[in-house]
């Protein structure tokens, strides 16, 4: 049995990028009987840029939990839990912070981008990848399914695991990222040179998975393309159209070549209309389940169970780490 770990920040918006790059993949992976999934709501990560309003944060955590289940994660196959409820995440995050160097954290692209936005730069934003390393190493994860933007954080995680093992002996598994060839970097609808991001100031650039079909259709309709009118998969010269083809292929689980052939002689408007339809068809049942789950006590039962299972492994791991380092007293 191999462990697999991944998380998403509860920021209130779950984008189509999060869904196609991460959640849709979790759903497929949970059906592999050789894998044990630990999927969490990364609430400690959601305070690294700024502290959201308290009630809002609570609501966003619950919303993401309901969303994961609505997408088909099942408690029999996946341990679903809230990061802050397993206190060892913060503990191992701190150890990883001490093991890392400021220079390597300063080099993280996501940190540089967020810092460049010119807002305040809390220390948590800089040390965030060390918390992420802790999240992963706590569970001896072999695999970490993520979108392309997390690749660098995974490389750091691997470096930190190796550094710890070299210094203190074999404690951590060195994890492998699972980054799908298609859908790992869904682009912004308004600027296909950038990734689709929930922190984008322009809401037209992303699709929020809880939006209405009408809102989705409008956003797809106004997606930036080009003026040559030919539907062809060519990310370099036709980033807008290529992004729409990738979204179509990932939503429908089709090869990009097949989608390209399907729309070869069609207009951009026809492609956009079909795309809006397939996205809506995918999202509507998820939204219906989400609405049933959001206020259901069943959600708490699942989160309790996930917390218990995760805590068991996390406690065992942190004890081993403290013993290796020599923290506290040696307990019998
Ligand atoms: P977050 O919350 O920004 O994103 C969640 C997941 O969605 C993927 N993703 C995308 N995939 C394709 N196209 C896009 N445009 C796109 N935007 C986002 C992300 O790559 C990610 O897989 N640090 C993480 C959360 C985290 C985590 C972890 C993940 C915390 N601890 C441990 C894995 C393991 C984050 O902020 O993801």
């Amino acid at each position: 049995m191999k462990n697999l770990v991944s998380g998403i920040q509860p920021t209130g918006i779950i984008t189509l990028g999060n869904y196609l790059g991460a959640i849709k993949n979790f759903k497929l992976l949970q059906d592999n009987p050789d894998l044990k999934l630990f999927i969490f709501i990364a609430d400690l990560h959601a305070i690294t840029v700024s502290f959201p309003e308290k009630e809002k944060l609570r609501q966003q955590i619950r919303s993401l939990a309901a969303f994961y289940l609505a997408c088909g994660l099942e408690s029999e196959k996946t341990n679903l839990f809230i990061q802050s409820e397993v206190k060892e995440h913060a503990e191992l995050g701190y150890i990883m912070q001490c093991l890392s160097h400021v220079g390597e954290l300063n080099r993280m692209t996501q940190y540089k981008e967020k810092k460049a936005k010119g807002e305040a730069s809390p220390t948590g934003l800089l040390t965030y990848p060390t918390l992420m390393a802790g999240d992963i190493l706590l569970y001896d994860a072999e695999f970490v399914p993520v979108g392309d933007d997390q690749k660098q954080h995974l490389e750091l995680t691997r470096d930190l695991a190796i550094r710890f093992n070299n210094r203190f002996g074999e404690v951590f598994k060195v994890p492998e990222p699972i980054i799908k060839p298609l859908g790992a970097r869904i682009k912004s609808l308004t600027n296909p040179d950038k990734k689709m991001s929930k922190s984008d100031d322009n809401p037209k650039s992303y699709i929020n998975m809880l939006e209405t079909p009408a809102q989705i259709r409008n956003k797809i309709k106004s997606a930036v393309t080009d003026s040559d009118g030919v539907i062809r998969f060519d990310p370099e010269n036709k980033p807008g159209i290529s992004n729409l083809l990738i979204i179509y292929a990932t939503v429908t689980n089709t090869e990009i070549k097949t989608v390209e052939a399907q729309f070869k002689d069609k207009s951009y408007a026809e492609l956009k209309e079909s795309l809006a339809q397939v996205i809506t068809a995918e999202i509507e049942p998820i939204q219906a389940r989400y609405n049933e789950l959001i206020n259901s006590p069943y959600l708490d039962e699942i989160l309790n169970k996930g917390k218990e299972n995760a805590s068991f492994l996390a406690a065992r791991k942190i004890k081993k780490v403290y013993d290796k380092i020599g923290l506290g007293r040696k307990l019998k």
Side-chain angles (χ1 to χ4, degrees), residues 74-309:
E74 295 166 33
S75 65
E76 298 75 38
K77 298 176 184 166
T78 295
N79 295 293
L80 181 65
F81 64 98
I82 300 171
Q83 183 190 27
S84 66
E85 292 186 358
V86 180
K87 62 182 174 27
E88 289 83 359
H89 283 257
E91 293 182 59
L92 191 56
Y94 175 70
I95 305 286
M96 289 298 132
Q97 188 179 311
C98 295
L99 196 65
S100 66
H101 307 296
V102 177
E104 64 191 341
L105 300 182
N106 258 322
R107 281 197 294 276
M108 294 291 127
T109 311
Q110 219 172 48
Y111 171 68
K112 286 196 283 193
E113 280 174 4
K114 288 197 173 158
K115 200 174 143 208
K117 276 193 156 182
E119 289 149 20
S121 174
T123 315
L125 189 60
L126 177 69
T127 59
Y128 153 115
T130 57
L131 179 60
M132 181 161 162
D135 298 337
I136 296 167
L137 301 179
L138 207 43
Y139 301 98
D140 282 329
E142 302 250 0
F143 302 117
V144 185
V146 280
D148 190 58
D149 61 340
Q150 299 299 321
K151 198 170 163 190
Q152 204 185 21
H153 296 159
L154 253 296
E155 278 157 16
L156 178 79
T157 303
R158 290 169 57 86
D159 288 347
L160 292 173
I162 293 168
R163 197 173 300 163
F164 189 98
N165 290 348
N166 286 343
R167 171 81 171 75
F168 298 103
E170 286 298 308
V171 172
F172 295 123
K173 278 235 156 75
V174 181
E176 291 286 340
I178 301 184
I179 298 173
K180 295 186 303 172
L182 210 62
R185 184 171 281 263
I186 300 295
K187 302 290 176 58
S188 150
L189 297 177
T190 49
N191 178 358
D193 293 330
K194 290 197 311 187
K195 72 163 184 176
M196 181 181 283
S197 164
K198 51 196 159 196
S199 56
D200 199 307
D201 296 331
N202 182 357
K204 281 193 149 184
S205 69
Y206 57 77
I207 285 175
N208 178 350
M209 293 294 290
L210 295 174
E211 266 165 347
T212 63
Q215 285 170 313
I216 293 171
R217 176 162 285 108
N218 281 337
K219 286 187 180 181
I220 296 287
K221 259 190 184 165
S222 61
V224 167
T225 52
D226 53 55
S227 55
D228 80 354
V230 180
I231 297 183
R232 176 165 45 89
F233 184 65
D234 179 352
E236 205 161 301
N237 299 306
K238 297 174 71 66
I241 285 295
S242 301
N243 189 39
L244 299 183
L245 292 173
I246 288 177
I247 296 176
Y248 194 100
T250 339
V251 170
T252 57
N253 303 316
T254 322
E255 297 268 331
I256 197 84
K257 275 198 186 114
T258 315
V259 179
E260 198 182 18
Q262 184 182 339
F263 289 101
K264 202 167 121 302
D265 299 318
K266 299 275 183 352
S267 68
Y268 289 180
E270 283 168 311
L271 168 64
K272 285 179 170 180
E273 182 51 37
S274 299
L275 181 58
Q277 270 172 24
V278 295
I279 295 176
T280 308
E282 177 100 349
I283 282 184
E284 272 177 339
I286 295 177
Q287 291 187 348
R289 282 196 295 274
Y290 172 88
N291 290 329
E292 281 167 22
L293 284 161
I294 187 73
N295 293 316
S296 152
Y298 173 64
L299 189 57
D300 293 295
E301 275 171 38
I302 288 178
L303 291 171
N304 287 341
K305 187 175 156 208
K307 172 187 166 183
E308 208 175 294
N309 293 343

